[in-house]
Amino acid sequence: MAKKAHVSETPATQLLRANGVAFTEHPYEYLEHGGAQHSAEVLGFDPFTVVKTLVMQDQDAKPLIVLMHGNRTVSTKNLARQIGAKSVEPCKPEVAQRHSGYMVGGTSPFGAKRAMPVYIESTILELPRIAINGGRRGYLIGLDPQVCVALLGAKPVQCALAE
């Protein structure tokens, strides 16, 4: 029997454990610019159930987090309209890192350095389980998507576009 790879704590896993949230750990070989599609492929998951954590900002440069299916992109126009913003755009990697405290490619919505509003594509909440970044590159955690609402106050939106 292969020994389970030990993954050290991250702010995300600390927060989840402190709140008694059950989750599974899924380390994998990180690939620069591989994204959710790569992790889904390596771990044998459906990319629709692998959730990307995207740090974006509105017209006033106020940061926000969007949780999106791994095989979908965000319609920033639809998102802006639904959250009452004039516009929304992705943050530059260094800005996203400053807001979240995580390296791009290892951003988790849990345990972010700065409190930000979280928006979740509504169809994610219909899934029985999701895989989402655990706060480190090459490390996903599996959990019930309702945890995003319970712990993060994630608000459902409809802004997915097929890739």
Side-chain angles (χ1 to χ4, degrees), residues 26-87:
H26 306 277
Y28 65 96
E29 193 68 38
Y30 178 75
L31 173 69
E32 193 76 34
H33 304 295
Q37 295 281 34
H38 168 72
S39 58
E41 203 172 291
V42 179
L43 294 168
F45 294 157
D46 177 346
F48 192 73
T49 66
V50 175
V51 175
K52 304 186 273 197
T53 304
L54 306 166
V55 182
M56 300 195 164
Q57 63 187 20
D58 67 11
Q59 69 282 350
D60 302 321
K62 286 198 177 77
L64 55 113
I65 289 176
V66 181
L67 303 178
M68 181 55 69
H69 296 286
N71 57 357
R72 301 284 187 271
T73 56
V74 174
S75 163
T76 52
K77 278 186 180 148
N78 285 347
L79 178 63
R81 197 174 313 115
Q82 289 178 54
I83 67 172
K86 283 191 190 108
S87 65

Side-chain angles (χ1 to χ4, degrees), residues 11-23 110 141 143 147 151:
T13 56
Q14 285 174 336
L15 176 78
L16 292 169
R17 284 195 174 100
N19 284 280
V21 174
F23 62 91
F110 303 104
I141 53 177
L143 45 71
V147 171
L151 275 187

Side-chain angles (χ1 to χ4, degrees), residues 81-155:
R81 197 174 313 115
Q82 289 178 54
I83 67 172
K86 283 191 190 108
S87 65
V88 173
E89 64 182 5
C91 287
K92 288 185 171 59
E94 61 278 7
V95 176
Q97 197 166 321
R98 211 170 41 241
H99 291 315
S100 70
Y102 292 115
M103 287 180 74
V104 170
T107 306
S108 177
F110 303 104
K113 192 165 85 175
R114 182 174 177 180
M116 297 174 261
V118 178
Y119 299 95
I120 185 166
E121 179 60 32
S122 62
T123 48
I124 293 170
L125 296 170
E126 297 166 12
L127 297 169
R129 282 189 80 68
I130 58 170
I132 194 164
N133 199 289
R136 171 175 292 114
R137 288 176 168 182
Y139 178 55
L140 295 184
I141 53 177
L143 45 71
D144 181 328
Q146 296 301 327
V147 171
C148 299
V149 176
L151 275 187
L152 305 170
K155 294 175 188 68

